[in-house]
Amino acid sequence: AQKVTQAQTEISVVEKEDVTLDCVYETRDTTYYLFWYKQPPSGELVFLIRRNSFDEQNEISGRYSWNFQKSTSSFNFTITASQVVDSAVYFCALSERDRGSTLGRLYFGRGTQLTVWP
Amino acid sequence: NAGVTQTPKFRILKIGQSMTLQCTQDMNHNYMYWYRQDPGMGLKLIYYSVGAGITDKGEVPNGYNVSRSTTEDFPLRLELAAPSQTSVYFCASSLRGEAEQYFGPGTRLTVT
C-alpha cells in the first residue's frame, strides 16, 4: 500500500490562479515527518518544507502555504497567485522510523505535475 | 559549498556491463541515500548509509551495491546492467535521519 498518496497526477492552471496540491499519508508512528519537494523541468529536487507530527500549525512562506491536518492524515500545499515558474512536479514525502532505528526513511508520493499557463 | 555532486550526468550502458555512479557531499552529513526515479513513480530508495562503514538496503536494492569508506563519498555500483535499471538516479544526504534531504542533480542512465 502507498504510504503517501498524491491523487492529482496533473493540474493545469492559468497564471495568478490559486492551486492546492493534495497529499494524504499513512503511518502507525506517532513521531513522523512530512516534506514537500519541487522538481522543476531541469530535474533537480528542491526541498520546500519539513513538518513534524507534533506541530499542526499551518505555515506560510511567501506565496506558499501548507495545511497539516492529523485528523485526516493530510498535508496539503497551496500556491497563491501561481506563476509560470511554479510549473514543476511536486512531491510529498513521509519520513518514519525504519525498523525501530533512528533513521527516517523517506517515502515519496508519485508526484503532481503542475503546469501554469501564462 | 557545492552540496551534493553526482557524476556522470548521463550514461548509456549495454546489457551486462557494469559501472559506478559517484556521489560526493561537502556538508559533513552522516546520512546518505541513493534513489531511483522512474516515470510517474516517485522516488524509491535503493541503499542508504548512516555513516562511514555502515550501509543498509532500501526498498529496491537488487542489482546494486554500495560502499561508504568516507563521510563524503557514497558510490553506487551496478553489476551486470539490465534494461530494468534504466532510470534517473539521485544521491541525497541529510544531517540526521529525520532531517530534510539534499539531493544531487541526478544521473540519467539508459541500459540497452
Side-chain angles (χ1 to χ4, degrees), chain B residues 15-66:
Chain B
I15 294 171
Q17 287 185 322
S18 300
M19 76 164 293
T20 298
L21 280 64
Q22 301 292 345
C23 175
T24 300
Q25 53 93 9
D26 63 0
M27 296 175 282
N28 204 31
H29 286 171
N30 281 326
Y31 292 78
M32 294 188 74
Y33 314 82
W34 274 106
Y35 294 90
R36 58 177 287 171
Q37 182 180 24
D38 300 317
M41 296 300 291
L43 281 79
K44 293 193 184 297
L45 183 66
I46 305 172
Y47 270 95
Y48 63 93
S49 169
V50 301
I54 307 169
T55 63
D56 204 351
K57 296 178 182 178
E59 208 175 339
V60 290
N62 291 345
Y64 308 94
N65 273 303
V66 293

Side-chain angles (χ1 to χ4, degrees), chain A residues 2 33 35 37 39 42-47 50 89 91 95 98-99 101-111, chain B residues 31 33 35 37 40-45 48-50 56-59 90 96-105:
Chain A
Q2 280 279 100
Y33 299 82
F35 302 80
Y37 284 85
Q39 187 174 41
S42 51
E44 75 272 24
L45 280 143
V46 179
F47 164 73
R50 168 181 177 266
V89 181
F91 291 99
S95 174
D98 179 42
R99 298 192 291 268
S101 77
T102 57
L103 173 67
R105 284 181 52 169
L106 267 188
Y107 294 92
F108 283 83
R110 295 188 177 188
Chain B
Y31 292 78
Y33 314 82
Y35 294 90
Q37 182 180 24
M41 296 300 291
L43 281 79
K44 293 193 184 297
L45 183 66
Y48 63 93
S49 169
V50 301
D56 204 351
K57 296 178 182 178
E59 208 175 339
F90 287 97
R96 301 178 304 276
E98 71 277 15
E100 59 272 21
Q101 295 180 16
Y102 293 93
F103 286 79

Side-chain angles (χ1 to χ4, degrees), chain A residues 15-34:
Chain A
E15 218 172 11
K16 296 184 185 171
E17 283 185 19
D18 298 347
V19 57
T20 296
L21 310 182
D22 298 332
C23 173
V24 173
Y25 61 92
E26 181 184 329
T27 181
R28 292 180 184 176
D29 280 357
T30 54
T31 302
Y32 55 89
Y33 299 82
L34 295 161

